[in-house]
Amino acid sequence: MDTKKTGRRVIWFLLLFFASAYVVTSIHCGEPIRDVPANLVFRDGDIILLGSSTVRARFLKCIDGGAKWVHCGIAVAPNIIVHADPDYGVVRQTLDEYLTVNDVDCICQLRPYNGDGKSAALFAQECAEKKMTFDNTFSYKNGEGLYCTELVLLAWEAAGEEILLDVESGDRIMPSSLMETSRLYCVREL
């Protein structure tokens, strides 16, 4: 077989693959949100889903089949969220701080029908105070650190509420799966 022909085919395949991946991952909600609307107030334990168009977000969208939601956190005060950040581990930030760094273009505020939001928020706050590391394997209950969806699920488990059923140690659970459960309802989407 001709080596030049094979090389060209590989290059064309890679170009087609990356072009397709770019089209799928360039889907986003709109312009980045720069200011938090005044009427956006969180309750302890609210789950905050975020959409973004950063390079990392595009990669996550590609892994998750073009899903809109690429990150999540848990509210621990009226405008404060705790989330698992790949660079800093589990951190506590204002939503304004988070928005300015991550080109967030859509937000969804979810709330469980049942459960104690204060207990879930306390668990998340304790994880931030312990400066837990980020789990780059995205493996639920399997590893040293936590990733964003794992933090949210464990916080609510600590509060006595199982958000997703049939989740086992080692599973990879993406933020978009939180939109699919009947145990949560959408309070607001921006």
Side-chain angles (χ1 to χ4, degrees), residues 5 8 10 18 42 44-45 53 55 80 85 102 104 130 142 173 180 183:
K5 212 178 221 182
R8 279 190 229 125
V10 168
F18 285 113
F42 305 138
D44 286 354
S53 297
V55 172
I80 306 290
D85 182 276
N102 292 289
V104 171
K130 290 177 187 173
N142 195 11
I173 305 142
E180 299 166 8
R183 294 175 173 245

Side-chain angles (χ1 to χ4, degrees), residues 56 59-60 70-72 83-91 98 127 130-139 142-151 173-175:
R56 182 176 179 80
F59 175 73
L60 290 170
V70 295
H71 190 60
C72 61
H83 63 102
D85 182 276
D87 296 325
Y88 305 108
V90 179
V91 295
Y98 186 84
C127 290
K130 290 177 187 173
K131 300 184 188 300
M132 294 191 75
T133 59
F134 187 80
D135 177 10
N136 283 304
T137 66
F138 297 93
S139 189
N142 195 11
E144 304 254 338
L146 297 173
Y147 67 99
C148 64
T149 315
E150 181 179 25
L151 171 66
I173 305 142
M174 303 302 282

Side-chain angles (χ1 to χ4, degrees), residues 7 9 25 42 57-58 61 80 99 127-128 139 176:
R9 285 182 181 165
T25 60
F42 305 138
R58 289 175 186 216
K61 286 178 185 180
I80 306 290
L99 294 176
C127 290
S139 189
S176 62

Side-chain angles (χ1 to χ4, degrees), residues 17-30:
F17 173 77
F18 285 113
S20 300
Y22 178 79
V23 168
V24 167
T25 60
S26 63
I27 300 166
H28 66 280
C29 304

